[in-house]
């Protein structure tokens, strides 16, 4: 059977199984194994053992459960209340200041967790009721929280970047640094949009009444609320960027630090540790099964020869690298409407990374592009993760799913602008890592 027909059958079978609602890990592993036995023979079964062995020996993946534990523990540590208090006091006097301050809080949380939902949950539970109580527009308030939370996969430490580093062979330290400037640019774009829009229409985000505003003394006293978050960020990212610790060691430092923070806020209880550990186990198990299933599919796909066929086909097109890069971005965007970031990476990486390498595309820049594109996937209907997290937060409020969908479009446009800027000016994602880690 021709390679072309095998390619069509494998991807068509995978898409049909995905449409049936089966878990994506079993869809990838099961379809890969089926077509492997069908076209390769019983020898393909060795791929399962090889992939399981490779997964167990991937030292870099040790950081994944530790960063996930860190993110879940942050939700219970009491840091978010103090962090929001700082933003409330310093930015509440501005029109739209509470929403802009929420984005700042989400940015700081992203630098401590690496997971999108952490910022949405932590700032959403505290910030959304506060903003609605002060008559903020629902769409501005919800959009700020969801867009700010989406910075998690881009601003280090990022679980998505750890997996990309494993697949592409890139330095995790460079990838982490590469996400810093794009993440801060997007955060500033969100803040600027909120402040400008609320300045032009104060009804969207009223400033705090004068009698509720804080004095300068109270503002500076409140800054103690960012000491612990600051120490966590410095402890994790600083140790990686200075070379003191590997990402795995830094994840252990962060996990220990957030446990200490929870203890200092008197939130460190047996029930909390049990719940957080169970959540970490479930999430880590899901990711590992996904990595295993996708590894089986990709290995069999490459063994049959179809992967090389697609790479040769793309390279033979009478177009330049920019056209292919744009098509890849569009593919990621469409898949982001239907799948989670790690699933998309595992499905597309075996094809797109070799193509990018052969076309001379910097894989560091390529990984940062994926992280920015991934942010959009967390906000795009119908299956954007942050949309459903927000629905869970607002289930007892007078807010519909349609209003949640409507709130994210301006921020999606800003994310698209950020992606465009990164494509036109690659140095946004490559200058800092290449300067600090020569």
């Amino acid at each position: 059977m021709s390679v072309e027909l095998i390619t069509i059958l494998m991807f068509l079978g995978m898409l049909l199984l995905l449409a049936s609602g089966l878990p994506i890990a079993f869809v990838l592993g099961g379809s890969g194994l089926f077509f492997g036995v069908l076209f390769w023979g019983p020898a393909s079964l060795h791929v399962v053992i090889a992939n399981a062995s490779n997964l167990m020996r991937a030292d870099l993946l040790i950081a994944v459960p530790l960063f996930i534990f860190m993110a879940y523990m942050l939700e219970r540590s009491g840091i978010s209340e103090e962090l929001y208090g700082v933003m409330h006091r310093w930015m509440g006097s501005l029109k739209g200041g509470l929403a802009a301050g929420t984005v700042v809080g989400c940015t700081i949380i992203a630098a401590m967790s690496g997971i999108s939902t952490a910022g949405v949950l932590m700032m959403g539970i505290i910030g959304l009721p506060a903003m609605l109580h002060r008559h903020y527009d629902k769409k501005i308030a919800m959009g700020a929280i969801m867009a700010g939370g989406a910075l998690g996969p881009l601003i280090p430490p990022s679980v998505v970047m750890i997996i990309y580093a494993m697949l592409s062979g890139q330095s995790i330290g460079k990838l982490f640094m590469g996400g810093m400037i794009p993440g801060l640019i997007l955060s500033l774009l969100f803040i600027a949009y909120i402040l400008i829009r609320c300045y032009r229409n104060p009804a969207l985000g009223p400033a705090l009444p004068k009698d509720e505003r804080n004095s300068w003394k109270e503002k500076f006293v409140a800054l103690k609320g960012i000491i612990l978050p600051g120490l966590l960020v410095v402890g994790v990212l600083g140790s990686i960027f200075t070379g003191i610790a590997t990402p795995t060691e830094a994840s252990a430092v962060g996990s220990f630090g957030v446990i200490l923070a929870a203890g200092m806020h008197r939130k460190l209880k047996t029930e909390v540790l049990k719940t957080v550990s169970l959540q970490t186990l479930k999430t880590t198990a899901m990711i590992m099964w996904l990595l295993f299933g996708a590894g089986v599919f990709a290995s069999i796909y490459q063994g049959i020869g179809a992967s090389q066929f697609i790479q040769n086909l793309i390279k033979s097109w009478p177009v330049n690298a920019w056209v292919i890069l744009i098509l890849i971005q569009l593919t990621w965007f469409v898949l982001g409407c239907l799948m989670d970031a790690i699933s998309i990476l595992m499905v597309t990486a075996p094809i797109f990374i070799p193509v990018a390498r052969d076309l001379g595309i910097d894989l560091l820049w390529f990984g940062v592009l994926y992280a920015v594109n991934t942010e959009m996937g967390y906000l795009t209907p119908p299956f954007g993760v942050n949309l459903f997290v927000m629905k869970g937060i607002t289930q007892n409020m007078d807010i519909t799913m349609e209003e949640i969908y409507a709130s994210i479009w301006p921020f999606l446009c800003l994310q698209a602008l950020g992606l465009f800027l990164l494509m036109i000016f690659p140095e946004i994602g490559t200058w800092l890592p290449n300067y600090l880690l020569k």
Side-chain angles (χ1 to χ4, degrees):
M1 186 175 292
S2 66
V3 174
E4 294 89 339
L5 185 56
I6 291 175
T7 299
I8 293 171
L9 289 175
M10 287 190 73
F11 276 92
L12 184 60
M14 182 184 68
L15 291 174
L16 288 174
L17 288 173
L18 284 174
S20 71
L22 290 173
I24 190 169
F26 302 127
V27 167
L28 289 169
S31 59
L33 196 57
F34 173 78
F35 286 105
V37 172
L38 185 63
F39 297 120
W40 192 351
S44 63
L45 296 175
H46 295 295
V47 171
V48 178
I49 300 172
N51 273 278
S53 176
N54 291 336
L55 201 60
M56 288 188 291
R57 289 187 285 111
D59 295 339
L60 192 58
L61 290 180
I62 297 174
V64 172
L66 290 172
F67 279 130
I68 292 172
F69 175 86
M70 185 177 168
Y72 284 135
M73 198 66 193
L74 275 171
E75 296 174 17
R76 308 296 188 98
S77 65
I79 286 178
S80 55
E81 289 88 345
E82 288 192 351
L83 193 57
Y84 187 79
V86 175
M87 303 309 156
H88 182 279
R89 287 175 172 82
W90 276 87
M91 302 187 70
S93 59
L94 299 174
K95 297 179 181 69
L98 292 182
T102 298
V103 174
V104 175
C106 287
T107 305
I108 296 173
I109 291 170
M112 293 188 288
S113 66
I115 296 178
S116 176
T117 54
V120 180
L121 280 170
M122 293 170 71
M123 287 291 104
I125 292 172
I126 301 166
L128 184 59
M131 286 187 277
L132 296 181
H133 176 69
R134 288 169 173 79
H135 308 293
Y136 267 62
D137 178 72
K138 293 178 183 178
K139 295 177 183 178
I140 285 283
M142 293 189 295
I145 293 168
M146 289 187 288
L151 295 169
L154 178 58
I155 295 179
S158 166
V159 173
V160 170
M161 283 189 172
I162 292 173
I163 296 173
Y164 177 84
M166 183 190 72
L167 297 173
S168 65
Q170 293 296 297
S171 162
I172 184 61
K174 282 193 170 185
L175 282 166
F176 277 1
M177 286 187 185
M180 287 290 292
I181 294 178
L184 293 175
I185 288 175
L186 280 171
S187 179
L188 289 173
L189 285 174
F190 297 155
I191 292 168
Y193 165 76
I194 292 167
L195 294 179
I196 292 172
R197 184 132 186 248
C198 292
Y199 177 80
R200 297 183 62 184
N201 185 0
L204 296 176
L208 290 177
K210 289 186 177 181
D211 59 335
E212 292 187 29
R213 298 178 188 179
N214 298 96
S215 66
W216 283 105
K217 180 180 179 181
E218 291 172 322
K219 289 180 179 180
F220 281 108
V221 169
L223 287 177
K224 65 181 182 181
I226 65 172
I227 293 176
L228 277 177
L231 289 175
L232 279 172
V233 171
V234 171
V236 175
L237 300 185
S239 61
I240 295 174
F241 294 166
T242 58
I244 296 174
T246 65
T248 301
E249 293 165 342
S251 66
V253 170
S255 296
F256 182 69
V258 80
I259 289 174
L260 289 180
M264 293 175 66
H265 287 90
R266 299 182 180 180
K267 298 291 183 72
L268 187 60
K269 301 176 182 178
T270 303
E271 188 61 33
V272 170
L273 278 174
K274 180 180 177 181
T275 302
V276 169
S277 298
L278 185 59
Q279 288 176 316
T280 301
L281 176 62
K282 288 180 179 179
T283 303
T284 304
M286 180 272 292
I287 291 174
M288 294 307 173
W289 271 109
L290 183 58
L291 291 173
F292 173 67
V296 170
F297 184 89
S299 297
I300 290 177
Y301 187 63
Q302 292 169 350
I304 292 173
S307 180
Q308 189 62 44
F309 158 72
I310 288 185
Q311 294 170 32
N312 293 336
L313 179 65
I314 292 176
K315 288 186 289 185
S316 68
W317 287 354
V319 292
N320 60 27
W322 275 102
V323 175
I324 294 176
L325 184 63
I326 291 170
L327 289 174
I328 289 174
Q329 300 306 313
L330 291 174
T331 301
W332 280 339
F333 176 76
V334 172
L335 290 176
C337 299
L338 306 171
M339 300 163 63
D340 66 272
I342 296 175
S343 300
I344 297 169
L345 183 60
M346 296 308 299
V347 169
T348 61
I351 301 172
F352 288 167
I353 289 177
V355 168
R357 184 185 292 113
D358 292 342
L359 292 173
I361 295 173
D362 185 347
L363 291 186
L364 170 62
W365 175 50
F366 195 64
V368 179
L369 282 172
Y370 177 74
V372 175
N373 205 313
T374 291
E375 283 194 62
M376 302 172 73
Y378 282 97
L379 300 182
T380 46
F383 299 121
V385 175
N386 287 5
L387 304 175
F388 291 98
V389 174
M390 179 57 66
K391 182 58 180 175
I393 293 171
T394 61
Q395 60 184 344
N396 296 321
M397 303 178 188
D398 184 24
I399 294 175
T400 64
M401 199 66 197
E402 288 74 19
E403 289 176 313
I404 294 175
Y405 283 159
S407 69
I408 51 90
W409 294 112
F411 296 94
L412 267 177
C413 292
L414 291 173
Q415 287 178 326
L417 174 60
L419 181 63
F420 174 76
L421 291 174
L422 182 60
M423 292 181 69
I424 299 300
F425 305 105
E427 295 81 8
I428 293 174
T430 60
W431 174 80
L432 184 62
N434 288 333
Y435 178 76
L436 294 178
L437 296 177
K438 294 180 182 179

